[in-house]
Structure formats: structure tokens, C-alpha cells
Amino acid sequence: AQTVTQSQPEMSVQEAETVTLSCTYDTSESDYYLFWYKQPPSRQMILVIRQEAYKQQNATENRFSVNFQKAAKSFSLKISDSQLGDAAMYFCAYRRGNAGNMLTFGGGTRLMVKP
Amino acid sequence: KAGVTQTPRYLIKTRGQQVTLSCSPISGHRSVSWYQQTPGQGLQFLFEYFSETQRNKGNFPGRFSGRQFSNSRSEMNVSTLELGDSALYLCASSPGLSTYEQYFGPGTRLTVT
């Protein structure tokens, strides 16, 4: 079974600074996808960024980028120029390729942004 | 385009009762997945429906069931409620199976007393 681990229950960052959230996963599959989701206090899950395992290039979406280390099974999220609106729970998630949309989530990291 | 809607948003039930939660996916989306979120267990996958057929099922007891209608709307049912069923139930829709994006609804907060 696949597992996703987020070792940092809480992180804090100063506004405008950069922060990196860690995620490791365990799988024997070669075809899979990785995601970072944001869950603000409203509880609505929002997709932040995704990475296809077959792509070597790290995904980037505006201020959000990932460091995907396939051999190490590591998938960290870097948030640059942190904003107050980035404060939320962040979940790392794994999905097998061509096996439906079932996501396996990590335990989450609560990010606090200090003004 | 309207997002994923879930009804009701909040629900209080008594132990032993049953409950039905509803999820309307984004128009045109045919896949609906359900997740349970609790402080202790985190986010756990319940099941996924596509074209009225259950495609994947998580590790939950048979008290948890679901279905999908021809218009892609989905319902999940929990029978003989237990205190541990208190959770936020999230629904997510996707255009098809194994697509990149899943769009989540706001959730239904179920409290069992």
C-alpha cells in the first residue's frame, strides 16, 4: 500500500519570505502523480500544484514550486514571497496512474504566516 | 461554471441513526469521490463512482455505502452511526477517471452524539 508522510505538523514563515514543506512517499509503482493541496479555514480543498512521476522537470505555478526527487521518493513544496493568504493546512497527496482518482493523503502541515 | 456542491453543510445525528449526504459534481464531470476527514485519522478515501459504477473503495466498514445517479450526482449513506463517524465528509469531482484535477466541495460536517 502507498503511504504519504509529512513530517512537519506545523511551520511558520515571515510574510514575503520563502518556506519549504516536506513530503515523502512510499510506492512500488512507476506510474503515479503527486499533488499539493491547500485547505484554508473555510475547509475547501484547493489544488496548488501537481507533478507527473514520468516528468523530470519540477512543476512550477507562480510562487509555488516543487522539488521532486524520484529516487528518494521526496516531493517538497516551496512557497516564495509568502503572503498572509497562504496560511492554511497543506496536504501532500499521491495517486496511482490509470487507477481512478483515488488520492492517498499525508497528515498535513499547518502553515502560519507572520505579518 | 458552478462548483461542487454538497448538502447539507452541517448535520447532527444520534448514535444508531442513519444519514445520507449528497454531492452534485461540476457540470460535465462523471467521476465523484468521497473522503472522510477527522483529526485523528486525517483524510481517508471512502469510494469513487464513475458512470454510476463504484470504481474504487477504501477500507471502511459496510455501514458506509454510496451510489451515483445518471446525472452524476452522488449520495453516500452511513447506517447505524457511531460516535467515531463524526467527521468532515468531502466530495470531489473529476471529468473522468484518472484525470489530473479533482475539484473538492465545501464538505458536510457530521456530528454524531
Side-chain angles (χ1 to χ4, degrees):
Chain A
Q2 294 80 23
T3 58
V4 179
T5 303
Q6 294 179 247
S7 59
Q8 306 150 316
E10 276 192 6
M11 293 278 287
S12 67
V13 62
Q14 206 71 34
E15 196 176 4
E17 298 292 308
T18 295
V19 65
T20 298
L21 309 184
S22 301
C23 172
T24 57
Y25 60 96
D26 186 26
T27 183
S28 58
E29 304 285 336
S30 58
D31 180 19
Y32 57 88
Y33 300 83
L34 297 164
F35 305 85
W36 278 98
Y37 279 89
K38 170 185 177 181
Q39 188 178 41
S42 68
R43 293 299 201 174
Q44 183 111 23
M45 297 282 280
I46 302 163
L47 177 64
V48 174
I49 199 166
R50 71 166 187 265
Q51 175 78 45
E52 295 87 340
Y54 63 84
K55 288 188 177 178
Q56 291 186 333
Q57 188 172 6
N58 290 323
T60 299
E61 287 287 343
N62 300 314
R63 299 182 295 107
F64 299 88
S65 62
V66 298
N67 184 3
F68 174 47
Q69 299 291 325
K70 191 171 184 178
K73 294 181 181 174
S74 169
F75 182 61
S76 60
L77 174 70
K78 185 172 83 170
I79 306 175
S80 304
D81 185 27
S82 296
Q83 301 175 358
L84 294 177
D86 295 334
M89 283 290 292
Y90 285 82
F91 293 94
C92 178
Y94 166 99
R95 200 202 86 204
R96 282 174 56 199
N98 296 318
N101 293 307
M102 183 182 84
L103 294 171
T104 300
F105 285 93
T109 296
R110 180 176 302 281
L111 177 66
M112 295 172 285
V113 181
K114 299 176 182 178
Chain B
K1 203 182 248 191
V4 178
T5 58
Q6 292 186 244
T7 56
R9 293 293 310 278
Y10 302 91
L11 204 50
I12 299 175
K13 288 287 188 178
T14 302
R15 201 168 33 177
Q17 289 185 317
Q18 75 165 18
V19 68
T20 299
L21 311 183
S22 180
C23 172
S24 293
I26 292 171
S27 177
H29 285 196
R30 297 168 63 192
S31 167
V32 173
S33 299
W34 289 89
Y35 295 85
Q36 181 196 64
Q37 185 174 22
T38 61
Q41 300 298 317
L43 278 154
Q44 294 185 288
F45 172 79
L46 280 155
F47 26 66
E48 177 182 15
Y49 287 88
F50 179 80
S51 294
E52 302 177 66
T53 302
Q54 188 178 89
R55 298 291 177 158
N56 285 299
K57 188 176 191 304
N59 188 25
F60 277 82
R63 300 185 296 107
F64 291 81
S65 63
R67 60 178 175 169
Q68 186 180 35
F69 302 94
S70 58
N71 62 357
S72 293
R73 189 177 71 85
S74 176
E75 289 181 347
M76 66 163 281
N77 184 277
V78 187
S79 63
T80 319
L81 284 166
E82 300 176 0
L83 295 178
D85 297 333
S86 295
L88 180 70
Y89 290 88
L90 294 168
C91 164
S93 80
S94 301
L97 279 177
S98 302
T99 51
Y100 290 144
E101 288 87 20
Q102 283 194 74
Y103 298 87
F104 282 81
T108 293
R109 170 74 66 185
L110 172 64
T111 302
V112 182
T113 62

